[in-house]
Amino acid sequence: MAAHILDRVPERESLERRATDLLRRLIRFDTVSPPGNERPAQEFLRTLLEPAGFECELLGVVPERPNLVARLRGPADGPRLCLLGHIDTVLADPGEWSVDPWAGELGGGCVWGRGALDMKGQVAAETAAALGLVEEGWRPEAGELLLVFTCDEETGATYGARWLCEEEPDRVRCDFVVNEGAGAVMEFGGRRAYGVCVAEKGVFRFTLTTSGSAGHASLPRIGDNALVKMAPVLGALGDGPTQYVRSPEPAALLATLGLDGDDLEATMGAIQSSDPRFAALVEPMLGVTLTPTMIAASEKINVIPSRSELHVDCRVPPELGEEVARRAIHATLGDDGYDVRFTECVAGNRSPADTPLMDRIRAFMTREDPYAHVTPVVLQGFSDSHWWRRAFPECVAYGFFPQRAMDAVEAMSLFHAVDERVPVADLGLAASCYAELAVETLR
Ligand SMILES: [Zn+2]
């Protein structure tokens, strides 16, 4: 089995070189969203994939923001494997960075720049894997290899994955998706584990309002200041106990790390005292998060506000709904003194954890890092996988970008942050993984 794979997957060194070069070029396309302006980057990728035999389509709502769908068909019917990525990034303030965020610099064994981790690095690794395989003469024996690079992931997928899955389902329908979400090594208590993101939390954003009565600001006791009433609310949201909710993915992770999954409070206490940064990564997986992000009150400096509005970004474990969010709010804030109005409700979804795709990922990682484990995890945030699971209930969508040179805590701290970078060794590792998944799935 191993010999068969190693015969056909291109050498690590050449994959690493190609993925590194590709990533540096992709970073130089400014695809900060909004406005995104992803077209030049998508056309660049098309000029690589089309001559290699991929049928390429640029599909979109507006000309400046197309999605790229590239397809390599095998001679017989079979499974469809989609290597997925988004080409847009969040913004960067060059003044805060130690390098130019759009230069694609190479230094200290890493490619630096906005999008290196989120997620042009994975797009580069997926493209390098596909091109490397084709150059070695590989074609799917059965089924199809799809490369889908979306626009507009960072601001809601209106032009990107959501639109593609809802409006062009026949172009992107598939059986397996490999996307972003997890894969960097987690180390705790002497154990090492690679997470495969099989599920995402839901988004339940709400506006919390406090009310009082207006008055002249020179007479502070005359009015009833709605803004001051936010102080205990903010305090409770900042310090409140986590509202734990049991779900299978964190249970699997804790078991893999040799931790008690029954007493979540005690377990989190133990993680917190030995590794606070790892705790910050794990805790949101275990329940509902309530994060206040925006606040508004009086529009006049000399008027005591009769009303104050706080916007809270709330995330709920997969497949659960508004009632779970409401329960967490009440447990944290009590029942009185505020009103809550939900403004955005999208329940998270999941794929089964026991699938041939998981087996193939496990087989690859076990060869790469024999003493490490592979475990399902839930993403604390949201990704394009959501739209594939929703549109195609049979589709298994996982987030997996394996990283061994950079661990999960460091990777997480660089997402959307200053000096984002990815080790070239991890680009090679990921490209090898994707090449192997294609060979093993499409036969
Ligand atoms: Zn992303």
Side-chain angles (χ1 to χ4, degrees), residues 428-440:
L429 175 68
S432 294
C433 178
Y434 301 144
E436 182 172 315
L437 293 178
V439 169
E440 288 296 296

Side-chain angles (χ1 to χ4, degrees), residues 185-373:
V185 68
M186 297 177 279
E187 300 190 63
F188 186 80
R191 298 198 191 200
R192 300 161 57 72
Y194 294 86
V196 178
C197 172
V198 304
E200 268 117 336
K201 291 177 79 179
V203 180
F204 288 81
R205 298 186 170 127
F206 61 87
T207 303
L208 184 150
T209 309
T210 52
S211 303
S213 53
H216 198 287
S218 64
L219 303 166
R221 307 280 173 219
I222 281 288
D224 181 17
N225 193 327
L227 181 58
V228 171
K229 292 179 181 179
M230 281 295 181
V233 170
L234 288 168
L237 290 174
D239 306 333
T242 304
Q243 303 300 318
Y244 296 118
V245 178
R246 277 171 205 295
S247 52
E249 295 82 14
L253 171 64
L254 295 177
T256 299
L257 296 174
L259 294 162
D260 178 6
D262 293 325
D263 188 346
L264 294 178
E265 208 166 318
T267 297
M268 269 322 300
I271 301 176
Q272 179 70 35
S273 58
S274 74
D275 189 347
R277 293 178 78 213
F278 188 59
L281 191 90
V282 172
E283 191 171 34
M285 297 177 180
L286 306 186
V288 178
T289 53
L290 299 165
T291 310
T293 51
M294 298 158 80
I295 193 164
S298 181
E299 287 176 20
K300 283 263 185 204
I301 193 158
N302 61 353
V303 176
I304 293 169
S306 62
R307 193 182 158 83
S308 178
E309 285 193 341
L310 177 69
H311 297 274
V312 182
D313 186 319
C314 168
R315 308 290 176 123
V316 171
E319 294 177 352
L320 302 176
E322 191 182 306
E323 24 359 294
V324 175
R326 282 197 184 273
R327 231 176 290 145
I329 296 166
H330 287 292
T332 307
L333 299 176
D335 293 332
D336 299 323
Y338 63 91
D339 286 308
V340 164
R341 181 171 48 87
F342 281 85
T343 51
E344 235 183 293
C345 297
V346 181
N349 56 19
R350 58 162 56 90
S351 292
D354 191 8
T355 67
L357 183 57
M358 183 67 82
D359 295 342
R360 289 178 193 124
I361 289 173
R362 188 169 278 124
F364 175 85
M365 284 318 308
T366 303
R367 245 177 297 115
E368 287 293 327
D369 195 351
Y371 295 104
H373 304 266

